[in-house]
Amino acid sequence: MPIRMRSLFGGLVALAVAAAGLTAHPSPAHAAPAPVCALSCDTLDPSKAEQDTFPVADRVINGRLLRLHVSDPDSMAWASIDRATQGDAVWLDRSWDRGATWEPLLGKATVPGTWTGTRTLMYNLTDPVAHRRGWIRACGDAAAVTCTDWVYPTVCDGSSCDGADPAGASGDDRPVPTATLFGRAIDLHVDQARGMAWATIGGGGAGDEIWLDRSWDGGATWPEGSSLGRTSVPAGGSGTHTVMVATRDPRGLLYGGAVRACGRAADRQEGACTAWARPAPTRARAAADALMASYRTDEGWWRSSWWNSAVAVTTVAEFARRTGRHDYDWAVARTYEQNKGVFPAGARGSDPVEGHFISRAIDDAAWWAVAWLTAYDLTRERRYLDEAVTITSYVHEYWDPRTCGGGVWWDRERTYKNAVTNGLYLWLTTALHQRLPGDTLWGGRSTTAANWYLDSGMINAAGLVNDGLTAGCANNGQTVWSYNQGLAIGAFTQLWRGTGERRYLDTARRLADAAVTSPQLTRDGVLTESCDLGTASCDDNQKQFKGIFVRHLADFADATGSAAHRAYLTRQADSIWTKDRDPLNRLGQRWAGTAPNPADWRTQASALEALTAVEGLPGRR
């Protein structure tokens, strides 16, 4: 439907003045804005900057030198004034709407006494937590006010930058339906491979306008990306196109930018826009970008699920390992650095975190050990392997042969021995043995754990893993969850790889075959949790189970070369992509696409595992 579009003339004039870098006096002083925190918080001392570059030209004010300094690794900037005298001042302006308005006088510093210069503190160029992309400039006052140009007015994703000609696009997809307006056709075009977009209008006449909006929060707001590439149909024409714009800003730690095409008829005030969409360079990359849009760069995790965040960072590291794309390696490192310390109850979960990712929930700690072993496999950085050893040593403290002959307790209160904790322990001990040269300790523990698991009764007669054991040490018959099945498949696959013992491979195969054929886990060829049925809904824990399963099933398929299990994995990825995805590449709980189908970062990470699992298989992209 047509929508009433407010006049943008005044705003466009302001943007043009700002983009040209013309001198502007600051707005009257007002309350300081709330500090922005990305990798660091506003007002960091420049002595801590990782880099010092000068991406815009210096300005001279009555002989004084005004300079903007930028540290891209920190995503921060500061300003300095030199050859100055007492009373000269320097500050930063920061804009979130391409220079139309700005936060003035940030970090204002005045040259004292006999000094000949001074500098501000550092301020963030970007605000990924609030999904805002900023511009910054240095300003000074030395008997006159002058400002540098704004830094980074153009978004670039590698060599793909705002303003490129669509004639150079490597592809032309139209991911959302055409918007119509008084006989005009307004279309959004996407170069999927390069993550670029442009807009066209056709079937109209001279003076019709077309433009793009770009949003970093899925279309909720778009102050930095309003009216991009706005252009008019020339005299005698019936249509035209915009330039291309980028949808990823790695420098600004902003991924998964959404775009839409908008247009206006020359003889009317009404306008119309297409739906929002995100490009999909590949299935896995598209899903990873959408997942990273929820990552808290300031805190280094995905709010607000502690163990789910461990699985999400595992997913990101596995994405990098399988695809060779290292866009998010920085997030793996940041998650480690920001979370290896101590946190009170409520900061990362209901329980305190006591350091080294350890809390009273034994399985929660174990998920973090899996994350750091995956990070070690990706980076070969010893700190990750050492962290995994520390965490798994903690988990081992709850191996208790006095009850049920062995097995790890689920919690410190020793209330339950279940499949998830013991599946994790078995996988971890095996993985450590394989990664520690000359190890015998963890190898012995893995063999003991495997024998206990096989004798425990948790694997039922149908080859499915129930949730755990009763107080009397019998299979409790509780729900068959996909992640318990997957952990056992992965652990026994790894044991077979390490020992060559056929019984371990036979167990892994039996578990895998049962999972892909049993209606308790697979329906109409699609992995289906019991909470995916009817009007049920999975809780925040259960939303991530299926991704864990496919990761371990993919490991089994890799180890054995099983065509049948690879075909099963491909069906999952295809179903997710065709039935469980919206134009913003958000992936829901139900891989078959049935309703109700909630979507959040947990469901996104789970589905990403399935898309990553088929990377490199013939015919996949």
Short mmCIF file of all heavy atoms in Angstrom, two decimals, residues 32 79 88 188 201 208 244 253 260 275 295 317 342 412 419 437 465 481 530 541 600:
data_model
loop_
_atom_site.label_atom_id
_atom_site.label_comp_id
_atom_site.label_asym_id
_atom_site.label_seq_id
_atom_site.Cartn_x
_atom_site.Cartn_y
_atom_site.Cartn_z
N ALA A 32 25.53 15.49 28.84
CA ALA A 32 26.39 14.57 28.09
C ALA A 32 25.61 13.32 27.72
O ALA A 32 24.79 12.83 28.50
CB ALA A 32 27.60 14.20 28.94
N ALA A 79 40.77 13.35 19.08
CA ALA A 79 41.18 14.56 18.38
C ALA A 79 42.32 15.23 19.12
O ALA A 79 42.44 15.12 20.34
CB ALA A 79 39.99 15.52 18.26
N ASP A 88 43.04 27.57 23.72
CA ASP A 88 42.54 26.87 22.53
C ASP A 88 41.87 25.56 22.97
O ASP A 88 42.29 24.95 23.96
CB ASP A 88 43.67 26.56 21.56
CG ASP A 88 44.27 27.82 20.93
OD1 ASP A 88 43.60 28.89 20.99
OD2 ASP A 88 45.37 27.74 20.38
N LEU A 188 13.72 -4.11 -5.24
CA LEU A 188 14.99 -4.24 -4.55
C LEU A 188 15.81 -5.30 -5.27
O LEU A 188 15.33 -6.42 -5.49
CB LEU A 188 14.78 -4.64 -3.09
CG LEU A 188 16.05 -4.91 -2.27
CD1 LEU A 188 16.86 -3.64 -2.08
CD2 LEU A 188 15.69 -5.52 -0.91
N ILE A 201 13.10 1.82 -10.23
CA ILE A 201 11.70 2.19 -10.42
C ILE A 201 11.42 2.15 -11.91
O ILE A 201 12.26 2.57 -12.72
CB ILE A 201 11.39 3.57 -9.81
CG1 ILE A 201 9.88 3.84 -9.83
CG2 ILE A 201 12.19 4.69 -10.47
CD1 ILE A 201 9.46 5.05 -9.00
N ASP A 208 10.00 11.01 -11.13
CA ASP A 208 9.81 9.97 -10.12
C ASP A 208 11.14 9.72 -9.41
O ASP A 208 12.20 9.81 -10.02
CB ASP A 208 9.34 8.67 -10.77
CG ASP A 208 7.92 8.74 -11.31
OD1 ASP A 208 7.23 9.72 -11.01
OD2 ASP A 208 7.54 7.79 -12.04
N MET A 244 24.74 1.18 -5.94
CA MET A 244 24.70 0.08 -5.00
C MET A 244 25.19 0.54 -3.62
O MET A 244 26.02 1.45 -3.52
CB MET A 244 25.57 -1.08 -5.48
CG MET A 244 25.07 -1.75 -6.74
SD MET A 244 25.79 -3.40 -7.05
CE MET A 244 27.50 -2.98 -7.38
N LEU A 253 31.81 -3.30 13.04
CA LEU A 253 31.30 -4.46 13.77
C LEU A 253 29.80 -4.60 13.59
O LEU A 253 29.07 -5.04 14.49
CB LEU A 253 31.65 -4.37 15.26
CG LEU A 253 33.13 -4.20 15.59
CD1 LEU A 253 33.33 -4.07 17.10
CD2 LEU A 253 33.96 -5.36 15.05
N ARG A 260 15.91 -1.90 1.93
CA ARG A 260 14.65 -1.92 1.21
C ARG A 260 14.70 -0.84 0.13
O ARG A 260 15.47 0.12 0.23
CB ARG A 260 13.46 -1.68 2.13
CG ARG A 260 13.38 -0.28 2.73
CD ARG A 260 12.15 -0.12 3.61
NE ARG A 260 12.06 1.24 4.15
CZ ARG A 260 11.08 1.66 4.95
NH1 ARG A 260 10.11 0.83 5.30
NH2 ARG A 260 11.07 2.90 5.40
N ALA A 275 9.53 -4.72 1.13
CA ALA A 275 9.89 -5.28 2.43
C ALA A 275 11.41 -5.20 2.60
O ALA A 275 12.16 -5.03 1.63
CB ALA A 275 9.43 -6.73 2.52
N TYR A 295 24.99 -10.42 18.86
CA TYR A 295 26.15 -10.56 19.73
C TYR A 295 26.42 -9.26 20.47
O TYR A 295 26.41 -8.17 19.87
CB TYR A 295 27.37 -10.94 18.90
CG TYR A 295 28.63 -11.19 19.70
CD1 TYR A 295 28.78 -12.33 20.47
CD2 TYR A 295 29.69 -10.27 19.66
CE1 TYR A 295 29.94 -12.56 21.18
CE2 TYR A 295 30.85 -10.50 20.37
CZ TYR A 295 30.98 -11.64 21.14
OH TYR A 295 32.13 -11.86 21.85
N ALA A 317 32.92 -20.70 15.75
CA ALA A 317 34.24 -21.27 15.47
C ALA A 317 34.14 -22.41 14.46
O ALA A 317 34.99 -22.55 13.57
CB ALA A 317 34.88 -21.78 16.77
N VAL A 342 35.28 -13.72 37.02
CA VAL A 342 34.27 -14.03 38.02
C VAL A 342 33.07 -13.11 37.82
O VAL A 342 33.24 -11.91 37.60
CB VAL A 342 34.85 -13.86 39.44
CG1 VAL A 342 33.79 -14.07 40.50
CG2 VAL A 342 36.03 -14.82 39.64
N ARG A 412 26.22 -29.83 41.49
CA ARG A 412 27.03 -30.00 42.70
C ARG A 412 26.26 -30.71 43.81
O ARG A 412 26.86 -31.35 44.67
CB ARG A 412 27.50 -28.63 43.20
CG ARG A 412 28.65 -28.07 42.40
CD ARG A 412 29.10 -26.77 43.00
NE ARG A 412 30.16 -26.18 42.20
CZ ARG A 412 30.55 -24.92 42.31
NH1 ARG A 412 29.98 -24.12 43.19
NH2 ARG A 412 31.52 -24.46 41.54
N ALA A 419 22.14 -37.89 30.67
CA ALA A 419 22.83 -38.16 29.40
C ALA A 419 23.66 -36.98 28.95
O ALA A 419 24.76 -37.16 28.41
CB ALA A 419 21.80 -38.52 28.33
N PRO A 437 49.66 -34.39 23.33
CA PRO A 437 50.64 -35.41 22.94
C PRO A 437 51.12 -36.24 24.14
O PRO A 437 51.40 -35.70 25.21
CB PRO A 437 51.79 -34.57 22.36
CG PRO A 437 51.15 -33.29 21.93
CD PRO A 437 50.06 -33.02 22.92
N VAL A 465 18.66 -42.34 23.05
CA VAL A 465 19.19 -41.98 24.36
C VAL A 465 18.11 -41.25 25.15
O VAL A 465 17.67 -40.17 24.76
CB VAL A 465 20.44 -41.09 24.22
CG1 VAL A 465 20.98 -40.70 25.60
CG2 VAL A 465 21.52 -41.79 23.40
N TRP A 481 15.94 -36.40 23.63
CA TRP A 481 16.30 -35.09 23.07
C TRP A 481 17.42 -35.28 22.04
O TRP A 481 18.33 -36.08 22.24
CB TRP A 481 16.77 -34.12 24.16
CG TRP A 481 15.73 -33.77 25.18
CD1 TRP A 481 15.71 -34.14 26.49
CD2 TRP A 481 14.56 -32.96 24.97
NE1 TRP A 481 14.61 -33.62 27.12
CE2 TRP A 481 13.89 -32.88 26.21
CE3 TRP A 481 14.04 -32.29 23.87
CZ2 TRP A 481 12.70 -32.15 26.37
CZ3 TRP A 481 12.85 -31.56 24.02
CH2 TRP A 481 12.20 -31.50 25.26
N SER A 530 10.47 -33.04 20.25
CA SER A 530 9.11 -33.25 20.75
C SER A 530 8.40 -31.93 21.01
O SER A 530 7.16 -31.85 20.90
CB SER A 530 9.14 -34.09 22.03
OG SER A 530 9.94 -33.45 23.03
N ASN A 541 16.42 -23.41 26.28
CA ASN A 541 17.42 -24.48 26.20
C ASN A 541 17.17 -25.38 25.00
O ASN A 541 18.07 -25.66 24.21
CB ASN A 541 17.39 -25.32 27.48
CG ASN A 541 17.88 -24.55 28.69
OD1 ASN A 541 18.80 -23.74 28.59
ND2 ASN A 541 17.27 -24.81 29.83
N ASP A 600 14.95 -16.63 17.42
CA ASP A 600 15.82 -15.74 18.16
C ASP A 600 17.25 -16.20 17.90
O ASP A 600 17.49 -17.06 17.04
CB ASP A 600 15.48 -15.69 19.66
CG ASP A 600 15.60 -17.05 20.36
OD1 ASP A 600 16.26 -17.98 19.81
OD2 ASP A 600 15.04 -17.21 21.46
#
